[in-house]
Amino acid sequence: MRFFLDFSYNGKQFHGWQRQINATSIQQTMEECISIIQGTKISISGAGRTDRGVHAKQMIAHFDVNKLRLNKNDFIFKLNMLLPDSVHIKKIIPVKDDAHARFNATSRTYKYYVSQIKDPFNYPFQYFLREKLDYEKMNLAAAILIGNNNMKCFSKSNTSVNNYVCDIKEAFWEKTKNGAVFTITSNRFLRNMVRSIVGTLIEIGIEKKNIENLYKIINSQKRSNAGYSVPANGLFLTKVLYPQSIFI
């Protein structure tokens, strides 16, 4: 039987999603706790691989078992008891045997939070910027990203992928009381892509780059031409969508 887990986490104490040899990851932590409940070694696969320090308001992962040893409510309760406070399981959902948390996802949405007012209670989850930002220009630039585009210029170097084309559905900034939030939805994301996009748009917002530069940056396919990579603490995976056909 295959199940999806719908959960959230604070990524500050983890070295990213993916299991690593000498560092604590979210994947490893969850696998160990599920294995305790099931009494056998369990592996899980996630919808994506968030970097070190990135958070998730919604992440999806799947795992296989012959049978859950507890009913679904008790399983969620027990798993939340075993997991650190920085990880919270919201739902467990039965899916078809060939459903895949990563490959069946039709879209993923990330949000990046920028604060323009220094706040000691928000700084772990927002990027504090003193510079005045031109959000109108940043939104005009963000609109250029929408559509099927080669995003190699925003990808971390030496990334092993077959292609760099991403179908971006939306990309926009919204002002908040203390700053702004950037929202981007795509069928897929490359490693470090969102953080380098945000850094590039910020450089446009402070007039270090202009909007016309963005066309040249994308066409160049060179990471060195794009803007800096903003810190991980302001980035959240917020939504992962799937076709209804994979659910039981």
Side-chain angles (χ1 to χ4, degrees):
M1 298 176 66
R2 179 160 291 187
F3 293 91
F4 273 12
L5 283 174
D6 183 332
F7 58 101
S8 58
Y9 55 82
N10 177 340
K12 184 179 180 180
Q13 72 181 71
F14 298 102
H15 289 250
W17 162 261
Q18 190 173 11
R19 176 183 280 272
Q20 300 173 50
I21 296 174
N22 297 313
T24 302
S25 69
I26 300 136
Q27 182 182 29
Q28 175 188 345
T29 301
M30 291 185 62
E31 286 177 341
E32 290 174 352
C33 292
I34 296 172
S35 297
I36 290 171
I37 295 173
Q38 288 296 123
T40 187
K41 188 175 181 179
I42 298 293
S43 297
I44 64 174
S45 297
R49 299 174 181 177
T50 55
D51 293 335
R52 178 178 180 178
V54 175
H55 317 293
K57 293 185 178 181
Q58 183 186 50
M59 171 64 101
I60 304 293
H62 76 253
F63 68 97
D64 297 324
V65 292
N66 291 327
K67 184 181 179 181
L68 286 179
R69 294 184 68 183
L70 302 171
N71 65 54
K72 288 194 291 184
N73 288 337
D74 289 344
F75 181 90
I76 292 172
F77 177 81
K78 179 74 171 181
L79 186 51
N80 277 324
M81 291 291 289
L82 291 171
L83 287 167
D85 291 340
S86 51
V87 183
H88 174 65
I89 308 298
K90 293 179 280 188
K91 296 178 185 177
I92 180 169
I93 307 159
V95 293
K96 294 181 179 178
D97 291 344
D98 60 350
H100 198 285
R102 179 182 174 191
F103 299 127
N104 285 128
T106 55
S107 72
R108 300 158 176 86
T109 298
Y110 281 89
K111 289 183 181 289
Y112 194 88
Y113 294 86
V114 170
S115 175
Q116 302 237 254
I117 297 175
K118 189 174 183 181
D119 186 335
F121 301 107
N122 287 336
Y123 83 90
F125 306 107
Q126 296 182 2
Y127 176 35
F128 172 55
L129 273 174
R130 289 183 173 86
E131 294 91 340
K132 184 178 179 180
L133 295 170
D134 188 330
Y135 291 108
E136 184 177 352
K137 284 185 179 179
M138 291 161 69
N139 263 326
L140 289 172
I144 294 170
L145 302 170
I146 296 173
N148 278 290
N149 290 304
N150 187 315
M151 294 283 103
K152 186 175 181 179
C153 64
F154 299 117
S155 174
K156 195 165 187 176
S157 302
N158 303 317
T159 300
S160 299
V161 295
N162 294 326
N163 72 82
Y164 295 89
V165 176
C166 300
D167 184 12
I168 298 177
K169 306 293 186 184
E170 61 178 1
F172 61 92
W173 289 88
E174 290 179 294
K175 293 189 73 174
T176 62
K177 182 179 178 180
N178 296 326
V181 56
F182 176 65
T183 301
I184 184 166
T185 299
S186 179
N187 65 324
R188 64 194 288 257
F189 286 92
L190 306 171
R191 190 176 178 191
N192 207 56
M193 175 176 154
V194 180
R195 291 165 61 192
S196 58
I197 285 176
V198 173
T200 304
L201 295 177
I202 285 173
E203 290 189 359
I204 291 172
I206 61 175
E207 299 185 347
K208 186 175 180 180
K209 288 181 170 62
N210 58 50
I211 295 173
E212 287 70 29
N213 287 151
L214 189 54
Y215 290 104
K216 296 177 182 178
I217 291 167
I218 293 171
N219 290 332
S220 76
Q221 298 184 22
K222 292 182 179 179
R223 176 66 186 92
S224 58
N225 289 339
Y228 72 109
S229 181
V230 292
N233 64 297
L235 184 58
F236 290 76
L237 174 62
T238 61
K239 186 184 293 185
V240 187
L241 294 181
Y242 296 89
Q244 282 299 119
S245 58
I246 69 171
F247 299 102
I248 296 174

